Amino acid sequence: LGYLENQKLDEATSALQALADKLPDDPLPWRNLAVARVVALGDEGVETTPAAVQTALAALAEMARREGVTSSYNWLSSQVAAAARDATATQPTSADAWFAKFRAAQLLSDRELDAAAIQDLQRACEYRPENAWLRVEWLRTVGSELLRLPEDGAAPAAGELAAILADLPEQLTQ
């Protein structure tokens, strides 16, 4: 924790990861590792990268798995969401940045995603149209959201879905 307090974030995350690996059943090292990963996102003078956001999201997911959704988890999640917004502002054509922003929104939502989060995933697909995994993720997300719509509201989305996924079979065989 001294490394973290003194803003030695690489040392903090390395030490906390080693401690978490040695004490896998203790939630405290996992929580502190999540804190360190989130603090690293706001490191002054360092641009927030999509990879750093994804790493923080993974640490938060592990924290929640071990101790549930707590007020600390909610606060840390909101910090990651802000960092993801920053990443898309500085890297507006990065599929990774848009996907990280989508994942942060997904983490913060209880059940339903708002339209902006789905648009973030859509943008990731647009910037990496050859990425079949992104398209499958989009399909799963939109499909889940379509199940929540009344039947008369699903028709326009179904047409959009067909247009976007038209070349998915080709991409899966490449």
Side-chain angles (χ1 to χ4, degrees):
L1 291 179
Y3 287 134
L4 188 57
E5 290 173 2
N6 291 311
Q7 294 293 306
K8 295 184 179 199
L9 301 173
D10 290 337
E11 293 91 338
T13 55
S14 294
L16 290 167
Q17 183 66 61
L19 187 59
D21 291 342
K22 285 183 182 178
L23 302 168
D25 296 328
D26 187 349
L28 191 57
W30 296 100
R31 180 184 323 135
N32 289 333
L33 180 59
V35 169
R37 300 256 190 237
V38 173
V39 168
L41 292 175
D43 197 10
E44 202 168 307
V46 177
E47 184 176 313
T48 300
T49 65
V53 172
Q54 291 287 6
T55 300
L57 288 169
L60 282 171
E62 188 62 31
M63 176 184 161
R65 188 179 77 73
R66 292 173 182 280
E67 52 185 66
V69 175
T70 63
S71 59
S72 297
Y73 170 84
N74 287 333
W75 184 83
L76 291 167
S77 296
S78 69
Q79 299 305 302
V80 174
R85 282 190 299 276
D86 291 348
T88 58
T90 60
Q91 301 173 46
T93 60
S94 167
D96 293 338
W98 288 105
F99 183 74
K101 187 177 175 199
F102 161 75
R103 285 288 296 134
Q106 202 176 35
L107 198 67
L108 287 169
S109 72
D110 288 336
R111 289 187 172 205
E112 295 180 25
L113 289 171
D114 63 10
I118 295 171
Q119 277 290 17
D120 294 339
L121 182 55
Q122 175 64 36
R123 279 198 173 143
C125 291
E126 289 169 7
Y127 291 121
R128 294 284 306 276
E130 75 286 355
N131 188 321
W133 185 88
L134 277 174
R135 289 186 175 221
V136 169
E137 184 66 21
W138 186 89
L139 176 62
R140 288 187 321 142
T141 301
V142 171
S144 296
E145 294 302 313
L146 285 175
L147 292 175
R148 292 183 176 83
L149 291 176
E151 291 213 15
D152 60 343
E160 179 185 351
L161 177 65
I164 290 171
L165 295 174
D167 59 347
L168 183 61
E170 289 175 12
Q171 291 178 7
L172 291 174
T173 59
Q174 292 178 356

